[in-house]
Amino acid sequence: MRVTARGRIVGWMLAVVSLALFIAIFATWAILDRLIDDRIDAEFGNEAEKLRRYAATAVDVRDVDTLLSGYLSYNPPDEWETFFTILDDRPHKITGIPPLARLDTDDALVARLGQVTEPASGETESAAGTVRYAVIPVQVNGDARRGQLVIAVFYDHYRDEVLNAIRVLALASLAALALAGAAGWFVAGRVLAPIRLVGQTAERISGSSDLTRRLDVPGDDDVSELAGTFNRMLDRLEHAFAVQRDFVDDAGHELRTPITVIRGHLELMGDDPDDRAETLALVTDELDRMNRMVDDLLTLAKAEQPGFLDIDEVELADLTVSVVAKARALGERRWRVDEVAEARIPADRQRLTQALMQLAANAVRHTADDGQIAVGSAVQDGFVRLWVRDDGPGVPPADRERIFRRFMRAGERTGTHEGAGLGLAIVRSIAGAHGGTVQVEDAPGGGACFVMTIPMRELR
């Protein structure tokens, strides 16, 4: 049978409370029972002391009979007690007789107690239940007779009072347990309400694929924090799905063109060797372009995943100079180093090199053969600036944000390499993975300057 979290919480709470109440009731019963025994022992000692004081102060005591009779008249027993005396092994007098039991009529008990010569105590059974007693032997100088004072306490009546108190305590505990269960059920329902809301929202999202729903849970506790975490997870999922949707739409659109070109030329390809060679060259070029596009798409996809970066210590001066050395193979341009930063930062050297090379390739596509391209690095206000500038036509202000999107292009290219519009998107992903940004500015003297800004310490 399925038990809800609410039921388990209330069940465990009631089990713990029940155990605590049982221990409390049992401990109370044991303590009260011990107090009864201590009270009866104290009563026996008190009666013995009163008998000694009476014997010491009485003036008309001539014999044992007179002493015992006078004491019974002088000291009546308390409730649930009886005093009786034994004279020469026979019942003598009794006071405080309970209606259910007469101990002085128990011949065996009287005969046994009549032989006592030292103070003693014990217990016996009677019609009124268990009786605890104390026997005090009495003798008077000049009187040869032996006497005993018997102090009997009807123990079960005292225990009945304790049992009645325990019953009342148990009933009160049951009532408290019922109230605790009801309160626990209510409180558990309030506490678990956000969790149920999380489940209901997740169910609606899975059924409708609507990632715009959010949980509204007021308060500042663990459950509210759970709801906040769930909302942040939905934000990430919504962003991821939006990126995936745009990615698939853009990729499908861009890949459809080379596929169409390849299919059209293959369908029109004839038997002429020159025509076949020209068609094969065109198809090979389109396949190479598709291969580059797929590689770029994979790089962008990896940028959204953990482990995209391999962080190590990077020396900015060496990085800047090595990028210029590698970029010379991209085209006959006037390559130069603007500035180098003498600093080390925690970063992914290969990814930063990839981003700068993408910017360098972009600069080559937008400059003439005798154009100038410069690479530099600097540290300013706790941030690292890496840039690539050229003297090409520059980027219009209206296009400076749009060109970093996937499959977006701007301006006229003067180079021979056609791109898929993914290079700058890759640069932005690499900068973002380092916790930084990338932007394009006007270069001094004209042209474009692409700048990556990366914080020195706070890396993702």
Side-chain angles (χ1 to χ4, degrees):
M1 183 177 63
R2 179 177 178 270
V3 180
T4 63
R6 188 180 190 182
R8 288 196 298 271
I9 291 174
V10 175
W12 278 108
M13 183 200 70
L14 291 179
V16 173
V17 173
S18 299
L19 179 62
L21 289 175
F22 174 78
I23 294 174
I25 292 173
F26 180 79
T28 301
W29 176 81
I31 292 171
L32 292 178
D33 193 59
R34 179 61 183 173
L35 289 176
I36 291 175
D37 292 337
D38 293 343
R39 176 182 173 184
I40 292 175
D41 291 339
E43 179 66 17
F44 290 159
N46 183 53
E47 292 299 332
E49 182 63 26
K50 286 194 292 184
L51 177 60
R52 280 192 291 269
R53 287 201 305 267
Y54 177 79
T57 57
V59 296
D60 57 347
V61 174
R62 298 181 302 273
D63 52 26
V64 175
D65 185 4
T66 305
L67 177 62
L68 293 177
S69 299
Y71 181 75
L72 292 182
S73 329
Y74 164 78
N75 184 40
D78 295 333
E79 186 181 13
W80 309 121
E81 292 181 357
T82 184
F83 298 161
F84 70 94
T85 57
I86 301 172
L87 188 60
D88 290 335
D89 299 333
R90 297 179 62 84
H92 179 232
K93 290 186 177 181
I94 187 168
T95 182
I97 303 173
L100 297 179
R102 291 257 332 234
L103 300 180
D104 59 329
T105 60
D106 187 342
D107 295 336
L109 177 64
V110 171
R112 186 171 73 252
L113 299 181
Q115 301 299 317
V116 172
T117 59
E118 295 290 338
S121 63
E123 66 178 39
T124 185
E125 296 298 326
S126 70
T130 301
V131 177
R132 287 193 59 188
Y133 62 84
V135 184
I136 304 172
V138 177
Q139 286 185 329
V140 176
N141 293 333
D143 188 356
R145 291 180 297 176
R146 293 179 294 103
Q148 288 87 17
L149 171 65
V150 180
I151 304 157
V153 176
F154 290 88
Y155 184 68
D156 284 352
H157 288 282
Y158 284 97
R159 294 196 66 185
D160 287 343
E161 293 179 356
V162 172
L163 292 176
N164 288 334
I166 294 300
R167 290 191 189 97
V168 172
L169 180 60
L171 291 175
S173 299
L174 288 176
L177 191 63
L179 290 176
W185 185 264
F186 174 75
V187 172
R190 293 292 299 272
V191 171
L192 294 175
I195 298 178
R196 290 197 299 271
L197 183 59
V198 169
Q200 294 169 1
T201 303
E203 185 68 25
R204 287 195 294 267
I205 290 174
S206 63
S208 62
S209 298
D210 182 10
L211 295 176
T212 61
R213 297 178 182 270
R214 295 295 183 271
L215 302 177
D216 183 15
V217 181
D220 185 18
D221 52 19
D222 293 339
V223 178
S224 301
E225 181 63 24
L226 173 64
T229 302
F230 186 77
N231 286 336
R232 291 189 291 273
M233 182 192 69
L234 289 179
D235 291 338
R236 293 192 296 271
L237 286 177
E238 184 179 10
H239 174 71
F241 273 95
V243 171
Q244 182 188 43
R245 183 174 56 251
D246 295 340
F247 184 84
V248 171
D249 292 342
D250 294 341
H253 174 75
E254 292 296 324
L255 291 175
R256 191 178 296 113
T257 300
I259 292 175
T260 302
V261 171
I262 292 173
R263 175 180 293 174
H265 281 81
L266 289 177
E267 290 176 350
L268 297 176
M269 184 177 63
D271 295 332
D272 182 65
D274 294 335
D275 182 44
R276 293 174 65 87
E278 180 181 354
T279 300
L280 289 176
L282 185 145
V283 169
T284 301
D285 183 67
E286 287 297 312
L287 290 176
D288 290 340
R289 189 163 73 91
M290 288 179 63
N291 185 62
R292 290 194 304 271
M293 190 182 304
V294 171
D295 289 340
D296 291 343
L297 289 174
L298 289 176
T299 300
L300 288 172
K302 291 177 182 178
E304 302 291 334
Q305 303 296 324
F308 176 63
L309 299 180
D310 184 11
I311 301 298
D312 198 0
E313 191 175 58
V314 177
E315 186 175 355
L316 294 177
D318 181 62
L319 173 69
T320 306
V321 174
S322 65
V323 167
V324 173
K326 294 176 182 178
R328 294 182 185 277
L330 296 176
E332 294 294 333
R333 302 292 188 272
R334 289 180 289 123
W335 297 91
R336 58 169 292 181
V337 176
D338 270 347
E339 181 182 350
V340 294
E342 297 294 337
R344 296 173 180 270
I345 63 170
D348 187 330
R349 180 186 178 91
Q350 291 186 355
R351 293 299 183 188
L352 291 181
T353 301
Q354 180 183 7
L356 291 173
M357 291 296 291
Q358 287 281 5
L359 294 177
N362 185 69
V364 169
R365 288 194 292 268
H366 292 84
T367 54
D369 289 342
D370 60 345
Q372 183 184 84
I373 301 176
V375 180
S377 61
V379 177
Q380 297 178 357
D381 301 327
F383 289 87
V384 174
R385 285 170 55 88
L386 301 169
W387 67 84
V388 175
R389 67 174 181 86
D390 60 59
D391 60 357
V395 180
D399 293 337
R400 290 183 180 179
E401 173 61 26
R402 188 176 63 88
I403 58 174
F404 291 102
R405 301 174 190 170
R406 292 165 179 169
F407 304 109
M408 293 295 177
R409 306 177 182 86
E412 296 295 331
R413 292 178 176 81
T414 59
T416 59
H417 300 285
E418 290 293 329
L422 294 174
L424 295 181
I426 292 174
V427 173
R428 184 173 66 174
S429 296
I430 293 174
H434 284 85
T437 58
V438 61
Q439 59 185 3
V440 59
E441 305 170 352
D442 290 329
C449 181
F450 289 83
V451 182
M452 286 195 302
T453 304
I454 299 174
M456 289 284 290
R457 296 181 181 88
E458 296 182 2
L459 302 177
R460 292 193 301 178

